[in-house]
Every structure is written in C-alpha cells, then in structure tokens.
Amino acid sequence: MDEVKVVVAHSERATLRVGDVFLKVDPDQARMDVEVEAMALAPVPTPEVLWRKPPVLAIAAVSGTALGRLGEPSTASPAAWAAAGAALRKLHDAPLPPRSGRAGRSLDELAAELDGECESLVTNGLLPADLVTRNRQVAEAALRPWTPAFTHGDLQIAHVFVDGDEITGIIDWSEAGQGDALYDLATLTLGHEVHLDDVVAGYGTDVDLDVIRAWWSLRSLLAVRWLIEHGFDPSAPGCEVDVLKARM
C-alpha cells in the first residue's frame, strides 16, 4: 500500500502525495479554477489532471526531479537551467490567459503592500531596519510599467522538474495569469543567483538584471512574515533573509 506523504501543508491549503498521484486540497475554488485553466493553456509540460472533486484536485506526478530547492545547492546542469529559461520564454510568448495572475498586481497595489510589509517587519522586530530600508530601495526598480505576459506566478525551482537537461514538467499553477515576465525569472533564480546567466541564456533575449534583483528583494520582503506565521523559516541558510542580506 502506498504511503501518504505530506508535501506541504498550512492553514490555506495542503498537498499530499499517494504513489504517483498528488492530491491538492484547497477550499479556494477560484484558485483551483486558475490552476486547471492555466495547465490546459500553457505551451510547456504540465501535470495531467486526473480528476477534480472540490475541494480536492488530483494530478499525476511528473517524471524527473526538481531543478533544486531554496536553501540547497542545485545539482542540475547549466543546460538544465538554460532549458528552464527556454521553457519560460515559450510560456511568456504564448497567447495571454484571460485572468490577471500573482505577477500581474497593479503597481499601486504592490507599492502599498510593500510599504506596509516593510513597516511591519521593522515594527515587530522581524528584520533590522537597515536591511529592510536597503532592500526597499532595491525593490523600487521592479515598480515600473511592463508588458503583460503569460506568467506562472510562483515559479520556485522546486516547481520545475527535469530529466537530464530536459524539462519534464512545471507544477503548481494556482498563481498563473497575465503578469510581469521578469517576476517569473526572478522567482526561478531566487537564492540561486549563480544560475541566472544560464537561465537568461536559455531565455534568449535581453533582460534587465536590475529588475530581476529588485524582484528578489521585493518577493523576499513580502514573504518573510507570511513564512514565519505559517511555520517556515526564512532565516534558514540560502533562504529569503540571506537573499536580502546579499543586497547590502
């Protein structure tokens, strides 16, 4: 009998693995709608949807192994990282999905959220004031006009699977939609700056590296408090706090 493995679980949602099947439990049906719709539209390898019975979505496991994990060195080859960049370019060049995604928040909304989060981080003593101030300055470069693209919205390296140098699947599409393409590039390389050149080479076009660095700061600033409140450790080696310290 296959064991039940908890992949991730917190107060908002949970993902379980039973053999070659992933069961995603999410009471937010709109978020699940986005995921199913995006996987059907995306021109890159995605998991097969086996069945859906709210609040559960069952999808097949993809072959290969994750490109890496935040806080751990990636053992994937430079060619695999480049292939991830090429897959992203294919996604970003695809026809736009009907909805706005996580990477598509308005500049005013994002700036207000960022300012509020920075104030909270300092007021509650979660991060030193100079670290927050410096990274808020760096993050400013991400707050600029952008051309909408089909974005994944949560492209952590653990969501990209490879077999050798080939992409076998990209998972977790619940934040997908129209958004800023550089947000995806930054999320993929967060904490793995050494692989940025390989990703950009595979992406195949000039990108503004200052904006990618700005998204590293912005995403990390917005994530720290949420991670702590949901039982994760953003201060673990190589994770969000180290990303912020690297900008000092």
Side-chain angles (χ1 to χ4, degrees):
M1 181 181 229
D2 289 320
E3 293 183 349
V4 177
K5 177 182 179 182
V6 178
V7 179
V8 62
H10 48 75
S11 60
E12 294 181 5
R13 46 190 154 173
T15 300
L16 312 175
R17 180 169 186 168
V18 185
D20 289 331
V21 177
F22 284 91
L23 301 175
K24 305 191 72 171
V25 184
D26 192 338
D28 187 337
Q29 293 308 297
R31 191 159 49 202
M32 196 173 285
D33 289 342
V34 168
E35 178 152 17
V36 172
E37 179 181 82
M39 288 193 292
L41 295 174
V44 296
T46 61
E48 176 189 1
V49 175
L50 300 176
W51 51 265
R52 179 180 179 184
K53 186 175 181 180
V56 181
L57 173 68
I59 60 176
V62 298
S63 60
T65 57
L67 189 63
R69 303 281 177 186
L70 184 62
E72 302 175 7
S74 171
T75 59
S77 68
W81 280 90
L88 256 188
R89 178 63 185 274
K90 189 173 183 180
L91 177 68
H92 292 163
D93 286 344
L96 293 175
R99 313 168 193 253
S100 180
R102 181 70 175 170
R105 287 166 291 173
S106 74
L107 299 183
D108 288 343
E109 175 189 355
L110 197 57
E113 181 182 357
L114 179 61
D115 288 341
E117 199 63 37
C118 288
E119 181 179 356
S120 177
L121 290 170
V122 175
T123 300
N124 295 308
L126 298 177
L127 291 176
D130 60 341
L131 184 64
V132 172
T133 299
R134 171 56 182 158
N135 278 276
R136 176 61 182 85
Q137 294 169 344
V138 173
E140 187 68 27
L143 303 176
R144 86 283 176 229
W146 41 265
T147 301
F150 189 158
T151 54
H152 180 280
D154 189 22
L155 199 69
Q156 305 171 44
I157 54 172
H159 293 165
V160 180
F161 282 73
V162 296
D163 185 356
D165 299 337
E166 296 185 3
I167 302 299
T168 56
I170 298 176
I171 66 171
D172 285 359
W173 292 80
S174 61
E175 306 288 353
Q178 297 183 28
D180 179 2
L182 295 191
Y183 181 92
D184 275 350
L185 286 165
T187 304
L188 178 65
T189 54
L190 182 77
H192 289 270
E193 186 170 352
V194 66
H195 298 291
L196 178 60
D197 287 346
D198 296 323
V199 171
V200 171
Y203 196 69
T205 188
D206 290 336
V207 299
D208 191 329
L209 298 183
D210 286 338
V211 173
I212 290 179
R213 296 185 183 100
W215 274 121
W216 288 340
S217 289
L218 199 158
R219 181 181 170 93
S220 297
L221 286 169
L222 293 183
V224 167
R225 183 171 58 87
W226 186 95
L227 290 167
I228 293 172
E229 291 177 350
H230 288 79
F232 302 101
D233 184 7
S235 297
C239 293
E240 284 79 4
V241 174
D242 276 354
V243 171
L244 295 172
K245 289 178 177 178
R247 308 276 74 80
M248 297 297 285

